[in-house]
Amino acid sequence: MESNKKPVTGPDERLQTVISELDTTVDDFLEKGRFVLMELMEAAAIHTDDTPDIRTRNLSKANTLADITHDYLTQAQSVITSIVLRESKAWTERRGSELAECRLENEGGKADE
């Protein structure tokens, strides 16, 4: 029977959207971070035939890559925090609206009055 299937509700759609946003953000920044960390490990590796100039360049490159990694982590934290704050605010507003409707109904009024 098809009647047993529940239609997707607004909150369910919103949850799926948030999960998708978080998934995309995490995947994107983890992939970028993984790439930069692999480059950082290569730049920091010591090879027996490295000259002092090569080691100095590699150290400089490693510092730059560490800065890039830090920036990616900061961006990821910012995006995730924004999503959490946005959804927390929306949830609080929805909850407040639902409570106001319940109060009106309990007082004998209608929610749309």
Side-chain angles (χ1 to χ4, degrees):
M1 293 179 124
E2 290 296 317
S3 61
N4 289 340
K5 289 190 177 183
K6 220 168 101 174
V8 177
T9 63
D12 289 339
E13 287 178 18
R14 186 172 192 101
L15 178 61
Q16 288 302 318
T17 300
V18 170
I19 289 170
S20 178
E21 282 181 275
L22 291 171
D23 188 43
T24 301
T25 300
V26 168
D27 283 350
D28 182 42
F29 285 107
L30 285 177
E31 189 58 38
K32 287 177 179 177
R34 219 176 276 121
F35 172 77
V36 175
L37 287 174
M38 291 302 292
E39 290 292 314
L40 178 58
M41 289 178 5
E42 177 60 33
I46 297 174
H47 303 284
T48 56
D49 57 344
D50 286 349
T51 65
D53 286 342
I54 291 173
R55 288 185 183 142
T56 300
R57 270 195 309 258
N58 286 348
L59 181 58
S60 178
K61 182 178 179 180
N63 284 333
T64 300
L65 292 168
D67 285 343
I68 291 169
T69 303
H70 180 267
D71 288 345
Y72 284 151
L73 291 173
T74 301
Q75 289 173 17
Q77 181 182 23
S78 177
V79 170
I80 291 170
T81 299
S82 293
I83 292 169
V84 169
L85 290 174
R86 180 193 72 208
E87 292 307 311
S88 177
K89 181 180 176 186
W91 181 84
T92 301
E93 289 171 356
R94 283 192 308 271
R95 188 74 179 131
S97 176
E98 290 170 3
L99 289 173
E101 287 177 14
C102 286
R103 274 191 225 113
L104 284 174
E105 288 174 5
N106 289 337
E107 293 171 359
K110 290 189 178 179
D112 54 277
E113 288 183 336

